[in-house]
């Protein structure tokens, strides 16, 4: 592995004729928005570009241009695709790109902003002080004078906004806002993006009423938990955004914990904090992420996972 500079990244992209773009499984707004915008930018540079993700693409992203150009991983199994570069966006570990890694033999480049990045790529461009990979892509386009079209601006604005809680989280910097400003100048419409991304159905709100019954407070109300049992998870699938914010917004709460029961003995955890280093907590359970937003999986039921976490928090 070697860390590369912006100029080395530029040179490598100039030399590559064909590029396979991928992102992490359970793709979020940052992953999808960054990939679609980078796809469009690279096409404009005359490159042959493929987008492959080893997971389903959430329906809420269907308003974005080129979303239908994203292939399932089976695309690599049924087509003989040989590329000069595998470009991994927003993924911090090799496992997070699923089977794409094994099905593509090209040198791996990684553009990412996770402090927990495992440096799995051959060439890494890591900006851990950036709020989103979308912030990095906007920055690169600006530095290289690559035009940002309206559709790129929309995708990048969504990427940036979704990773910093629409500019509310502590990872939001002047640079984050500056890059978002370029996206808006390019034609992104903040109201349209948030109305599209944050829209929920009446059924979803009914379910939220039920989930709110599980909220618990610990350690003098500085730690709060909210639980999605396996039955609720079966309805929600991967669409679990927003639940952690309900407890995160409580004035006394520092650490907000979302517990997702994937099966009776497997619980996926999302940790958010206003001060505590939750990346360090998640790492105790084999996970990671950012200082104030991290995740891990504990092979226990929700109750047991919760007590282990509360113990680890101390
Ligand atoms: Mn991200």
């Amino acid at each position: 592995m070697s860390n590369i500079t912006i100029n080395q990244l530029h040179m490598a992209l100039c030399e590559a004729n064909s590029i396979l773009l991928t992102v992490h499984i359970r793709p979020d707004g940052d992953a999808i928005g960054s990939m679609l915008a980078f796809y469009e930018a690279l096409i404009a540079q005359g490159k042959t570009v493929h987008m492959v993700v080893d997971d389903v693409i959430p329906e809420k992203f269907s308003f974005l241009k080129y979303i239908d150009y994203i292939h399932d991983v089976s695309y690599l199994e049924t087509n003989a695709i040989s590329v000069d570069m595998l470009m991994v966006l927003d993924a911090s570990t090799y496992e997070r790109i699923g089977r794409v890694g094994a099905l593509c033999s090209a040198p791996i480049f990684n553009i990412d902003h996770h402090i927990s990045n495992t440096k799995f790529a051959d060439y890494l461009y890591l900006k851990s002080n950036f709020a989103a990979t979308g912030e990095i892509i906007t920055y690169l386009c600006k530095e290289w004078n690559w035009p940002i079209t309206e559709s790129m601006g929309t995708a990048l604005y969504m990427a940036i906004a979704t990773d910093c809680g629409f500019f509310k989280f502590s990872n939001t910097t002047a640079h984050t806002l500056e890059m978002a400003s370029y996206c808006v100048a390019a034609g992104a419409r903040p109201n349209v993006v948030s109305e599209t991304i944050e829209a929920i159905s009446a059924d979803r709100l009914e379910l939220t009423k039920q989930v709110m019954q599980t909220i618990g407070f610990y350690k003098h109300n500085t730690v709060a938990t909210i639980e999605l049992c396996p039955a609720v998870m079966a309805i929600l699938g991967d669409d679990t955004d927003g639940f952690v914010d309900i407890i995160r917004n409580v004035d006394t709460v520092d650490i907000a914990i979302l517990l997702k029961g994937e099966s009776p003995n497997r619980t996926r955890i999302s940790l958010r904090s206003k001060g505590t280093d939750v990346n360090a907590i998640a790492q105790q359970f084999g996970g990671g992420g950012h200082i104030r937003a991290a995740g891990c999986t504990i092979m226990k039921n929700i109750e047991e996972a919760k007590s282990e976490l509360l113990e680890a928090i101390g």
Side-chain angles (χ1 to χ4, degrees):
M1 193 290 305
S2 61
N3 282 292
I4 52 171
T5 64
I6 184 169
N7 289 331
Q8 289 169 321
L9 177 61
H10 188 238
M11 229 181 315
L13 286 167
C14 287
E15 280 167 15
N17 291 315
S18 54
I19 299 160
L20 179 64
L21 291 178
T22 195
V23 297
H24 56 80
I25 54 172
R26 304 179 193 284
D28 59 7
D30 188 24
I32 295 295
S34 296
M35 180 167 64
L36 293 175
F38 211 38
Y39 172 83
E40 196 176 332
L42 291 168
I43 290 290
Q45 295 300 312
K47 308 298 176 184
T48 300
V49 192
H50 310 270
M51 294 186 283
V52 176
V53 179
D54 188 9
D55 212 334
V56 288
I57 307 302
E59 186 58 38
K60 62 183 168 188
F61 301 129
S62 56
F63 73 108
L64 295 164
K65 195 174 179 182
Y66 299 122
I67 192 82
D68 295 333
Y69 288 34
I70 301 174
H71 297 280
D72 180 75
V73 72
S74 60
Y75 178 71
L76 297 177
E77 292 164 332
T78 50
N79 296 276
I81 289 169
S82 144
V83 289
D84 300 327
M85 172 191 288
L86 171 58
M87 174 58 80
V88 177
L89 301 175
D90 199 43
S92 55
T93 73
Y94 184 72
E95 292 68 38
R96 291 273 286 157
I97 62 171
R99 287 176 293 154
V100 175
L103 291 167
C104 181
S105 57
I108 302 178
F109 284 71
N110 183 200
I111 298 175
D112 187 31
H113 69 122
H114 294 89
I115 198 168
S116 61
N117 190 292
T118 56
K119 305 186 189 328
F120 67 91
D122 300 309
Y123 305 96
L124 172 64
Y125 186 70
L126 181 68
K127 288 285 196 187
S128 56
N129 56 334
F130 280 36
T133 298
E135 185 180 340
I136 308 176
I137 302 296
T138 310
Y139 169 72
L140 295 177
C141 289
K142 260 202 70 245
E143 288 297 307
W144 299 338
N145 287 314
W146 288 6
I148 299 177
T149 64
E150 182 182 331
S151 48
M152 285 169 68
T154 301
L156 289 169
Y157 180 88
M158 182 201 68
I160 297 168
T162 52
D163 252 26
C164 66
F166 285 80
F167 312 102
K168 286 179 294 198
F169 298 161
S170 61
N171 59 359
T172 308
T173 65
H175 188 266
T176 312
L177 291 163
E178 194 189 341
M179 294 304 112
S181 167
Y182 283 112
C183 296
V184 175
R189 293 169 65 196
N191 64 316
V192 173
V193 172
S194 56
E195 278 159 22
T196 309
I197 293 300
E198 298 184 311
I200 58 163
S201 64
D203 283 350
R204 168 65 181 250
L205 191 56
E206 280 296 337
L207 200 62
T208 301
K209 278 163 64 183
Q210 209 179 304
V211 169
M212 284 176 83
Q213 305 290 327
T214 70
I215 292 172
F217 292 100
Y218 304 89
K219 304 182 195 293
H220 306 287
N221 297 342
T222 60
V223 178
T225 59
I226 188 165
E227 302 166 20
L228 304 173
C229 66
V232 168
M233 283 297 290
I235 300 169
L236 289 172
D238 275 337
D239 187 18
T240 58
D241 288 355
F243 288 108
V244 78
D245 297 313
I246 299 170
I247 50 175
R248 191 183 180 280
N249 288 337
V250 175
D251 56 0
T252 53
V253 168
D254 174 25
I255 303 177
I257 306 172
L258 171 64
L259 298 117
K260 296 179 271 194
E262 292 192 321
S263 73
N265 51 15
R266 183 183 165 94
T267 302
R268 201 146 53 87
I269 318 287
S270 293
L271 297 155
R272 298 287 180 274
S273 97
K274 294 173 191 157
T276 302
D277 180 357
V278 288
N279 179 49
I281 296 167
Q283 279 181 343
Q284 290 182 44
F285 297 94
H290 307 283
I291 290 169
R292 292 190 173 86
C296 58
T297 298
I298 299 178
M299 302 308 282
K300 298 272 170 69
N301 67 30
I302 289 178
E303 270 317 302
E304 291 164 341
K306 184 165 72 176
S307 37
E308 287 199 5
L309 270 168
L310 291 170
E311 183 110 348
I313 289 165

